[in-house]
């Protein structure tokens, strides 16, 4: 389980770096400064949660069952939140209007929050 979590964290982190570089260099002349800032928000949240998964895969404070739940929440949250933010920020580059699916952004945010709350609740329920 830990190896899987750390591997997924590494992929999310690497993709965040690639997308951050793409945003800074490839998109700066294609989208507005405001949209670029939105894109960077998606990158930041993806990287924060890659680091969260690195911690999760490295700790013995959390059971494998709870780690699996948190992993699923984080991956789905990053896909929904950061993924939708990327497309919304680059909306002018596509013929499809991604504002139509913008509702998944807050759902992704709720999934990310749920992952952190799951960790918190698991830790406070443990016996010392």
């Amino acid at each position: 389980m830990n190896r899987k979590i750390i591997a997924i964290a590494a992929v999310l982190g690497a993709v965040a770096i690639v997308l951050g570089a793409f945003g800074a260099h490839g998109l700066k002349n294609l989208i507005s400064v405001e949209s670029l800032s939105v894109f960077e928000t998606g990158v930041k949240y993806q990287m924060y949660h890659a680091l969260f998964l690195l911690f999760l895969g490295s700790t013995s404070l959390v059971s494998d069952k709870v780690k699996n739940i948190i992993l699923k929440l984080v991956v789905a949250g990053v896909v929904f939140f950061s993924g939708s933010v990327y497309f919304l920020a680059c909306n002018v580059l596509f013929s499809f209007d991604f504002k139509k699916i913008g509702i998944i952004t807050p759902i992704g945010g709720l999934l990310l929050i749920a992952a952190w709350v799951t960790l918190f609740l698991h830790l406070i329920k443990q016996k010392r």
Side-chain angles (χ1 to χ4, degrees):
M1 172 57 65
N2 292 335
R3 186 178 177 134
K4 176 182 173 182
I5 293 170
I6 293 171
I8 291 171
V11 169
L12 286 178
V15 170
I17 292 169
V18 168
L19 288 173
F22 174 69
H25 302 290
L27 291 177
K28 71 178 177 180
N29 295 326
L30 300 175
I31 62 176
S32 69
V33 173
E34 181 181 310
S35 292
L36 192 56
S37 176
V38 169
F39 190 90
E40 290 171 357
T41 298
V43 171
K44 288 177 192 174
Y45 275 74
Q46 183 171 335
M47 183 57 81
Y48 297 153
H49 287 86
L51 295 171
F52 178 38
L53 290 180
L54 279 177
F55 159 76
L56 187 68
S58 302
T59 187
S60 61
L61 297 174
V62 181
S63 71
D64 282 349
K65 179 182 175 186
V66 174
K67 284 182 181 183
N68 193 40
I69 292 167
I70 293 171
L71 174 65
K72 289 176 183 177
L73 288 168
V74 167
V75 170
V78 166
V79 168
F80 281 25
F81 181 82
S82 292
S84 66
V85 165
Y86 299 143
F87 285 112
L88 287 167
C90 298
N91 201 37
V92 297
L93 303 176
F94 299 101
S95 59
F96 180 79
D97 185 8
F98 285 98
K99 292 178 184 174
K100 294 176 183 177
I101 60 166
I103 188 65
I104 68 171
T105 307
I107 292 170
L110 287 172
L111 292 169
L112 296 173
I113 293 166
W116 287 94
V117 170
T118 300
L119 174 64
F120 174 74
L121 292 175
H122 178 71
L123 292 174
I124 63 170
K125 286 181 182 178
Q126 285 182 338
K127 295 179 181 176
R128 293 181 185 228

